[in-house]
Amino acid sequence: MNAPSDTIFGKIIRREIPANIVYEDDLCLAFRDVAPQAPVHILLIPKKPIVNLSTLEPEDQAVLGHMMLMASQIAAQEGLSNGYRVVTNIGEDGGQTVYHLHFHILGGRALSWPPG
Ligand code: AMP
């Protein structure tokens, strides 16, 4: 597996490729998904190159808590007052395609459950 810093999201953090950035601070970055699955589809990523939830270390606790607060703030900013979904895919069976931790923030339409 490539080092997380080699993923497309690492390139976005380093501004080596463009992205439609909606939020940024010292710890995380949020940008619009290039292939949106809902009217609002934003990816929220840590700047630290973490692979996925399965590779979290105790020291990551604060940044993950911060990201959940920011997910809520971004959803409010996007006007998702009727509800939305935050999801992270882990590994092959989870459907993860980019091996840099990311939370999908999806909203703007009624989302079905369960996922496929
Ligand atoms: P996952 O399948 O959970 O790993 O999600 C990866 C997501 O990254 C997919 O929804 C892709 O559409 C999205 N994606 C891939 N490349 C880019 C990019 N350059 N800019 C924005 N989103 C991207």
Side-chain angles (χ1 to χ4, degrees):
M1 187 190 302
N2 287 339
S5 56
D6 289 338
T7 68
I8 194 119
F9 294 170
K11 294 187 198 312
I12 289 173
I13 292 168
R14 298 191 301 273
R15 303 297 203 273
E16 291 169 7
I17 61 166
N20 189 345
I21 293 170
V22 298
Y23 177 80
E24 179 172 23
D25 62 30
D26 288 349
L27 296 175
C28 63
L29 182 69
F31 49 93
R32 296 194 191 281
D33 197 294
V34 77
Q37 302 301 310
V40 175
H41 187 173
I42 290 167
L43 300 173
L44 174 61
I45 68 173
K47 288 190 170 172
K48 179 181 173 183
I50 297 167
V51 173
N52 59 33
L53 286 190
S54 291
T55 69
L56 283 182
E57 294 168 2
E59 68 186 30
D60 299 324
Q61 187 166 329
V63 69
L64 267 287
H66 172 73
M67 288 175 68
M68 292 301 93
L69 283 170
M70 293 309 106
S72 165
Q73 184 176 298
I74 291 163
Q77 225 171 262
E78 293 290 321
L80 302 179
S81 55
N82 207 39
Y84 58 97
R85 186 170 294 162
V86 177
V87 63
T88 187
N89 297 325
I90 299 145
E92 201 180 333
D93 278 3
Q96 184 174 11
T97 59
V98 179
Y99 281 80
H100 182 127
L101 175 65
H102 49 283
F103 292 96
H104 298 257
I105 301 169
L106 295 147
R109 66 171 171 84
L111 300 164
S112 60
W113 190 264

